[in-house]
Amino acid sequence: TDIQIFEYAVANGLPLLAICRGFQIINVARGGSLVQDMAAPHTHHVETITVTEPALLGLDGTDVAASCYHHQCVDALGQGLEVIARAEAGHVEAFRVDAPAWTMGVQWHPEDNFDTERPNLAIFEKLVAEASKS
C-alpha cells in the first residue's frame, strides 16, 4: 500500500514529504536497498545533518539538528533519487525524488523537535507552500 500511495502522488503531481520509513520505502520502490541493521543504530539520537541543497527543503543554512529513530539506512540509492543531506557518519539522510511535484525524503524526524529547532519547522513550511501551489 505504501508504495502505491507514493506512486499515486508522483503520477498525480502531488507534493510529498516522506519521513523515516517513508524515506526507506521510496528508496526501495525506486530499486534501492537498505542496510538492515546499522552498526550504530540511531534511536533516540540527535545529530547534525549537513544539507547540500538547503533551499530544496526550505532551509536557510546547511546544518539541521536531526532527531533520529532508525536502525536502517540507505545502502544502494534508488533510481531518480538525488542525495541532498548526509549524517556525520556519511549515510544518506535526505534525498530529492525526480518527480513532477516537490517530492523529498528525510530519514530523520523533523516533527520531533520542530518546536526547538527552527530548520525542522521550515521543512514543513516548505511542504505547505508547495502544496498550496497545486
Side-chain angles (χ1 to χ4, degrees), residues 36-101:
Q36 291 302 308
D37 284 301
M38 297 171 67
H42 287 72
T43 54
H44 303 286
H45 173 74
V46 176
E47 69 177 315
T48 300
I49 302 301
T50 302
V51 182
T52 57
E53 297 190 50
L56 289 176
L57 292 174
L59 305 175
D60 292 330
T62 59
D63 293 341
V64 177
S67 180
C68 302
Y69 292 91
H70 56 278
H71 67 94
Q72 296 176 317
C73 65
V74 168
D75 183 21
L77 190 66
Q79 295 178 335
L81 306 179
E82 175 189 350
V83 175
I84 61 168
R86 291 189 180 272
E88 291 175 10
H91 59 273
V92 177
E93 283 286 341
F95 51 62
R96 182 187 66 78
V97 180
D98 183 16

Side-chain angles (χ1 to χ4, degrees), residues 25-41:
I25 287 169
I26 288 174
N27 187 59
V28 171
R30 289 287 178 101
S33 61
L34 302 173
V35 172
Q36 291 302 308
D37 284 301
M38 297 171 67

